[in-house]
Amino acid sequence: MSIALQAPAYIRAISPYIPGKPITELARQMGIAAEKIVKLASNENPLGMSPRARKAVEAALAAVERYPDQFDLIAALAERHGVATEQIVLGNGSNDVLDMAARVFLAPGRSAVFSRHAFAVYPLATMSAGAECIAAPAKHYGHDPAAMLAAIRADTHVVWIANPNNPTGNFLPQSEVRAFIERIPAHIAVVLDEAYTEYLAPAERADTVSWIRDLPNLIVTRTFSKIYGLAGLRVGYGVARADVVDLLNRVRQPFNVNNLALAGAIAALDDHGFVAESFELNRRGMEQIVAGLKRLGLDHIPSHGNFVTFAVTDGAAVNGRLQQQGVIVRPIGGYGLPNHLRVTIGLGAENLRFLEALGKALPT
Ligand SMILES: *Cc1c(COP(=O)(O)O)cnc(C)c1O
């Protein structure tokens, strides 16, 4: 008998996370040269990493025999957000912080609420902690605060909110998010996942971290994986009250963020030029792709991130025909959207390649 059968049923019930197909894998499968493949599947920054971050990472190579010291990045983030250093917790990607929050606040016999079509890591983290998932009905594919409030039960201890949401790109205006959180019972941890916040138009942004003063149950998470272009280094963080961060730190792996990631993140945080350039490229690329989808007669979900989700009649078939042409996008059947595909905004030439391939991939 295998020990696999001895794992708790809630672990065996987890559906594995399906990442975007790596370029190298499609190259092997299709016999296409890797350089000819366009990957717009994982919301990565098409500009790569900031040149300043690259220099810092290269310099940090000089001391990889030492265990990492998180002090400098925590100090820089505390200063950036105007909070105490005790209010910052670092993650191996922000997914790591989501997992810590689940392990601190969830357990068998407890539940967590999120929206249908919300980020896949919420059910993963919830189930890993042995808690029950409650997926509230969505409104226009996005979070419906009323439905989420109605879904809260006596055993609910976490509410997951992604704003903007991935994979749908929906954005809930900050005033509505704030009103929503105010109505969530104060003993429930609210995780506000803002992985795409840097892509919001200036008028849509809010200093959500400052809400923690009045909303002590709030945990805000951010990442260096998206606009900062450091997805492969794995670094993100959470901001919360010091007593909450203290608990998150107790379940955190002591050296969860490596030396190179710490150095890269500190430098990236100050590279305002790179962030501005990435924002502008995304804005133009979004216009280009949305116009192209309209020309092809395809509906899309208006997106506030660095990606856009659009509807086709057969997601799996169109995805297959895109792959044959060396274009990787993200099928999102696992999110309950089998006839939608999500495409990341790339460089202008990549967006064009995608639109041309999509034109050929659609059923005639
Ligand atoms: C990409 C993403 C993250 C960030 O993941 P990392 O672990 O920081 O790379 C978090 N939340 C959402 C909704 C995302 O799409």
Side-chain angles (χ1 to χ4, degrees), residues 106-276:
L106 297 175
R110 297 186 171 201
S111 67
V113 169
F114 48 83
S115 175
R116 194 161 151 70
H117 316 307
F119 189 42
V121 170
Y122 309 151
L124 277 179
T126 300
M127 292 174 79
S128 298
E132 199 183 319
C133 296
I134 305 176
K139 193 160 94 187
H140 306 302
Y141 303 103
H143 292 48
D144 178 352
M148 290 178 74
L149 287 167
I152 291 173
R153 300 192 311 220
D155 65 2
T156 299
H157 282 273
V158 172
V159 172
W160 305 104
I161 304 171
N163 202 38
N165 183 43
N166 169 23
T168 61
N170 293 80
F171 172 69
L172 211 51
Q174 306 286 5
S175 57
E176 288 179 39
V177 180
R178 167 102 199 197
F180 174 27
I181 299 174
E182 283 172 357
R183 292 183 60 197
I184 296 172
H187 68 277
I188 296 175
V190 177
V191 180
L192 180 58
D193 174 354
E194 298 190 317
Y196 300 97
T197 201
E198 297 86 1
Y199 289 105
L200 291 175
E204 293 170 334
R205 294 179 199 162
D207 181 7
T208 51
V209 166
S210 72
W211 297 354
I212 292 166
R213 280 196 297 272
D214 316 326
L215 301 169
N217 54 337
L218 178 61
I219 303 169
V220 177
T221 64
R222 303 271 178 95
T223 183
F224 286 93
S225 297
K226 304 289 159 54
I227 209 163
Y228 292 105
L230 302 181
L233 280 180
R234 312 302 304 128
V235 51
Y237 61 99
V239 193
R241 267 170 65 114
D243 56 352
V244 173
V245 166
D246 173 48
L247 288 174
L248 296 170
N249 272 324
R250 294 188 207 185
V251 300
R252 182 176 61 77
Q253 295 288 322
F255 303 108
N256 62 331
V257 184
N258 70 66
N259 297 357
L260 306 186
L262 291 167
I266 291 169
L269 201 56
D270 278 332
D271 199 339
H272 303 288
F274 179 78
V275 170

Side-chain angles (χ1 to χ4, degrees), residues 83-128:
V83 298
T85 52
E86 292 76 18
Q87 292 186 259
I88 306 279
V89 59
L90 299 187
N92 190 271
S94 56
N95 285 344
D96 192 23
V97 180
L98 303 180
D99 199 54
M100 290 175 218
R103 279 185 291 143
V104 165
F105 293 105
L106 297 175
R110 297 186 171 201
S111 67
V113 169
F114 48 83
S115 175
R116 194 161 151 70
H117 316 307
F119 189 42
V121 170
Y122 309 151
L124 277 179
T126 300
M127 292 174 79
S128 298

